[in-house]
Amino acid sequence: MTDFEDLEIGHEADIGSHTFTAEEIIAFARRWDPQPFHIDPEAAARSLLGGLCASGWHTACVWMRLNVEYGKRLAAEALAAGRQPPRFGPSPGISNLKWPRPVYVGDTISYRWRISGKRPLATRPQWGLVEHEALGVNQNGQPVLSFEGKFFMGRRLS
Amino acid sequence: MTDHPAKRLAFEDFTTGETVVFHTVTVSAADIVDFATDWDPQPMHLDEEAGRASPLGGLAASGWHMICLIMRGMCDGFLLNSTSQGSPGVDEVNWLKPLKPGDTLTIRYTVLDTRISRSRPHIGLVHFLFEAINQRGETVATIRNPIMFARRDTAEATP
C-alpha cells in the first residue's frame, strides 16, 4: 500500500494492542475527562460502569496512536523497497462511534481497521478521500470501540 | 444520601432547544505538539513546515485534541456538577477548520432531544450538539452525542 490508487476496499490491518493500567487510565482522565468513574475507583464501583474504566476518548486515542505508528511502519517498508511512502492527510470527521463495553484496568485491547470505501477529490486532485471502519476488541473477544472514519490520502503524482 | 442532588444538574435540567455556552479555551503551539506527541504524532501536528505542506496549511491540532478540549470543557463546564453516568457513544464528530496556535475556542451545547431510558427508568438520555467556535466566529469542530444522566428523583440512589 503506497498510494491512494493501491488501496483495496475490504483491506484489513491489525495495528497492534494495548493493555490499560490504572495509572494510565487515571492520568488520561485527570487531563481530559475527569469524571469520577475514570479517576476514582470507589465512585466507579458505585456507577453504572461498575469499576474504574478508561475514558472512551482514551480508548479512541490509543487507536489513533497505533494507527499512526502502523502508518510509519508502512512508510519505512516502502522506503526500504525503494518506493515512495504513502502520504496521509487530515480527517474531516468520524461517525457512529460506539463504546459497547467499558475498558477496565488490566484489559488488553486489540485494534484494527478495515478500508470500506474511497473516492478521488475533484477539488484537491493531489488527494483522495478514504473511508474506514475502526475496531477495538478486548481479551475476551468483546468489542469495546468501533467507529467509521475518513482521511485524506495522497494520490499518485504523474 | 451523601450529597444534595438538587445542587447538581440532573436529567430534568436539560430542555430541548436550549443553547448554553459553557467553556472557553486558548491553545498554544506547545499544547498542540504535546497532545500530538502522545496520541497523534503525524508531522502536520508536530511541525509548522509539515503543516504547511499538508491541507491544514500550517501547524494545527489533532482532531482528537479538539475532541479532548471539548470533553475537558464539558467536565469543567457542567458534567462534574451533574448526575452524568457516561455516554454509550457518539453519532458524529466533524472537524471543519484547522485549530491553530493562539486560537481561542468558545464551546457551547444545544440540547437536541431528551428521553427517559426504557430499560433503566432512573436514567435519562440527553442528546447534545457540541460546537467549538474560534475567535473569528468559525465553527472548528462539532460533536453530536447522547449523555446519560440520573433523574433528579432517583439521583440519591446513584453516585
Side-chain angles (χ1 to χ4, degrees), chain A residues 110-144:
Chain A
S110 299
Y111 291 96
R112 58 195 297 109
W113 53 243
R114 177 181 174 279
I115 302 300
S116 52
K118 67 173 189 177
R119 61 183 168 86
L121 290 174
T123 51
R124 294 176 190 272
Q126 291 193 327
W127 296 91
L129 189 69
V130 179
E131 296 174 337
H132 69 91
E133 296 161 354
L135 188 65
V137 175
N138 69 16
Q139 65 279 4
N140 302 316
Q142 300 164 318
V144 297

Side-chain angles (χ1 to χ4, degrees), chain A residues 19-23 25-26 41 51-54 102-108 139:
Chain A
T19 302
F20 287 74
T21 65
E23 293 73 19
I25 287 172
I26 292 170
L52 189 70
C53 59
V103 171
Y104 294 108
V105 173
D107 280 356
T108 297
Q139 65 279 4

